[in-house]
Amino acid sequence: MRKFNIRKVLDGLTAVSSAASASSAAQQQQAGNRESEIQETLQSEHFQLCKTVRHGFPYQPSALAFDPVQKILAIGTQTGALRLFGRPGVECYCQHDSGAAVIQLQFLINEGALVSALADDTLHLWNLRQKRPAILHSLKFNRERITFCHLPFQSKWLYVGTERGNIHIVNVESFTLSGYVIMWNKAIELSSKSHPGPIVHISDNPMDEGKLLIGFESGTVVLWDLKSKKADYRYSHDEAIHSVAWHHEGKQFICSHSDGTLTIWNVKSPTKPFQTITPHGKQLKDGKKPEPCKPILKVEYKTTRAGEPFIILSGGLSYDTVGRRPCLTVMHGKSTAVLEMDYSIVDFLTLCETPYPNDFQEPYAVVVLLEKDLVLIDLAQNGYPIFENPYPLTIHESPVTCCEYFADCPVDLIPALYSVGARQKRQGYSKKEWPISGGNWGLITQSYPEIIITGHADGSIKFWDASAITLQVLYKLKTAKVFEKSRNKDDRPNTDIVDEDPYAIQIISWCPESRMLCIAGVSAHVIIYRFSKQEVTTEVIPMLEVRLLYEINDIESPDGEQVPPLPTPGTGSNPQSIVPQSHPSTSSSSSDGLRDNVPCLKVKNSPLKQSPGYQIELVIQLVWVSGEPPQQITSLAVNSAYGLVVFGNCNGIAMVDYLQKTVLLNLGTIELYGSNDPYRREPRSPRKTRQPSGGLCDINEGTMVPEDRCKSPTSAKMSRKLSLPTELKPDLDVKDNSFSRSRSSSVTSIDKESREAISALHFCETFTRKADTSPSPCLWVGTTLGTVLVIVLNLPPGGEQRLLQPVIVSPSGTILRLKGAILRMAFLDTTGSLVSPAHEPWREHNVPEDKDEKDKLKKRRPVSVSPSSSQEISENQYAVICSEKQAKVISLPSQNCIYKQNITETSFVLRGDIVSLSNSICLACFCANGHIMTFSLPSLRPLLDVYYLPLTNMRIARTFCFTNNGQALYLVSPTEIQRLTYSQETCENLQEMLGELFTPVETPEAPNRGFFKGLFGGGAQSLDREELFGESASGKASRSLAQHIPGPGGIEGVKGAASGVVGELARARLALDERGQKLGELEEKTAAMLYSADSFSKHAHEMMLKYKDKKWYQF
């Protein structure tokens, strides 16, 4: 533990600096003569960086598998990711190092293992018996490309089909190749002159493991006898095959073809199919063949004890159904149900009661993996309803445009959001429990509430419960419903500054204590919401239009040409007086025909019914100015105690009193400095400040993005400046001119590059000037040129007076400077604790208050968590300011910089947050070069610097955020949130918190063979595969064919669990696992021997009973 004495630091400074700086330091020491030692408790050992969990839909899925005994679902993706799902809350993410696409997954059913086949022709064996699955073995094929794999139930021999049409056999235990190979030229007829194509299907006959059904792409199917090493039957069809499925009795199989047909074959009749079906073909008269349809990509054939079998297929629609959505077809008896899907089908699986292929399958559900969704269909209920999906797979329902993360929220927030969100749930789901129910939850070691808020391209906002490494949607708010929807292109004169997604959310500002929510959208609009549990109907939506103008010279905006002035701070208390009920401005244009004074979106002028949850308090829109569209908003802040919202952009800043519905401040950035001529200054020269000449002049809010202004945050060309509160580096895109933009011809390129945007805003109660003796409410403003300015707020008393008297705002003259755009500001009290902005506690606004309540309200002062309100006059505060390049800690009121840290020279900080951790606070930064860093406060000592990930795309920059207790997150793909921790304690506890995928479950009993089958030798025929495929029988495989790579998995790959009793248990369990791994083979062999001895005794007993009373002639 290290102590920092600010006096000593200042003494040190005075010793090495000039006489002038020595005198200023001495002044500072007098000003803060009560400065005490601040004890910093955070050390570098408190920090460790690791990924925790990944939530959301697997991006670009490519493969699907299900373990019917363990009830675990696996999904592979085109980027080599593997996602495993058990019961709701049990999820796991793994990654193949190569990043190659997963083409197929096969569970070793009830073994706690999984085989993955990748597009780079590798096979991997994953151990799922540990919380973080790891690869035990890999096998790389060198000469042939893998196209299909099949692992029979309870077998250790994996059949691998290749592009050349050959089948190799892999021992799953040792991950070595058998010498037994089925060559394509031996399988097909010798008379055949053409190659049959790649292997598209392999499966063994459910009733005879010695017979292997091989499907070739060209249309040939072969039933191969493994013992005699020759083909029993060959089935030829003109159309290419996509998939094959057996009837459980092993006498029939079904093929799906590229012309939209299904052919059903009797095993012993290879000459022609027993039946041909075109599920979606139009039956023509005169017995002609139906018209060809689209290919049936997959078919499954599942039987039931009572009733007809199910034939389930994807694809096969007729070609004239243009524009029709992808379908899954369920054929059951004479009924055919066509189930439309929202996205194209990647794969599907039928979930059945039994893992045995030779028993009645009894299908109960179909899991359908779509391009962007996972759907489960209940086959047991009429109409095939879908199950309500309990996994958080809808993050990307509309593309995510911004993200905020709040840990350690008020405890009543999640129940409040859940109760209003529960009313939004859809009806009509299956009544049954979610069938994917495997695994066990981890231990909850974190007890604090966590909330993630995502903003989306369609203007929706979702609140998620993210407590204890899980994720569950709580509530969805649609911000677009306040605006008129355009019905056609002629109707859209105003939204054309944005090509698409005009309602996209760019910035979210939320106060968890008061539950006030403020959003800024891409069409330069701001909406303020209040939380209520009551439904209300708003007759007229309160609305303000703000004309923000960047004045360049008198030619563009002469003084006489000002648009009707905005309401001044005192204009009456009746909000209706400034809420235009009709929108006359929407059609106005200036005399030269340029669009003028028009907002980008049209607010509805009809009454709006607002459900319980977030309800509109005020809509603020920026308007066009002389043909120049409003610029996108770059920073936003709301304060419930003051009743104020403030926002800024590359033109300036506007402050609105949302209680009185008036504009308080409307200044160009340059005017914040005073009345110096902005064009004679060097962009970074210090300025002397005077009171601005135009207190309520016009400013024009906007993006720093020239050609990108018209794009939504989701568009590919998105400039860094579209980001969020987190301003990105201003001079990165200067070359391609995407730093700042304007259509105005009078804006020179020099001006474009030096235009200063508002990049950070922070309400607080602190010392505004050097001479101040006590803190007062103010707003700190940070710009992209590294300037911090302070605006003083003079608030009327609370209660009714707050609604009657004006709020007076005035620049203080205080200017501070840093290198790079300002990202974040915060304040510490004299003990080094964080001073939170003042806030009002939440109360229900839609319930009329009684007299006592009103009296209380009059007396009530805003809650300020700030200890400053009770501080003695002589005590001081510290401002912490983080920019793209550096961080500074400034002592207040003296305004002396006491600590400075240059965070990065060559890169720039994308996100900086001041967060609490282990009862202390620190500054956490994420740099564009991929480094995550933390610094102690107030001394700015480096505590952590880890290279984590490079900034590969805008999405990461737009969504990365830190929060309290060592938590952080970002959008790792368009559909997935990656959470990570920088807390050493959380890293240690993570092993306990993760769920377990594998749980010991008994394998169901094999189906009974029945009396007659036993008597006449029917029933399933078993095969001693070891005898056929083992080295003694088949010899060694060619060494050059495939190369074995031992995996990093197993026990070495598991990082042991943390300390404590649970840690000890985990270690004991790991030790047992280690032993188990070593004894695995012996155990399996013993178990097999026991099983065979048991079955032998059963059979012997049956035989004895069967023949006990028979005479010799009855045998």
Side-chain angles (χ1 to χ4, degrees), residues 187 328 379 391 430 462 630 637 657 693 735 737 822 853 917:
L328 185 83
L379 288 179
Y391 304 135
S430 166
K462 285 182 183 171
D657 178 341
S693 49
K735 286 180 193 151
N737 221 0
I822 306 297
E853 283 289 320
L917 176 71

Side-chain angles (χ1 to χ4, degrees), residues 81 129 142 192 249 267 626 654 660 719 721 778 976 1018 1034 1078 1115:
R129 290 181 180 232
N142 297 322
S192 175
E249 288 175 349
V267 169
S626 310
Q660 294 187 23
S719 134
K721 282 295 174 192
C778 56
E976 295 163 292
S1034 62
K1078 287 173 184 169
F1115 280 96

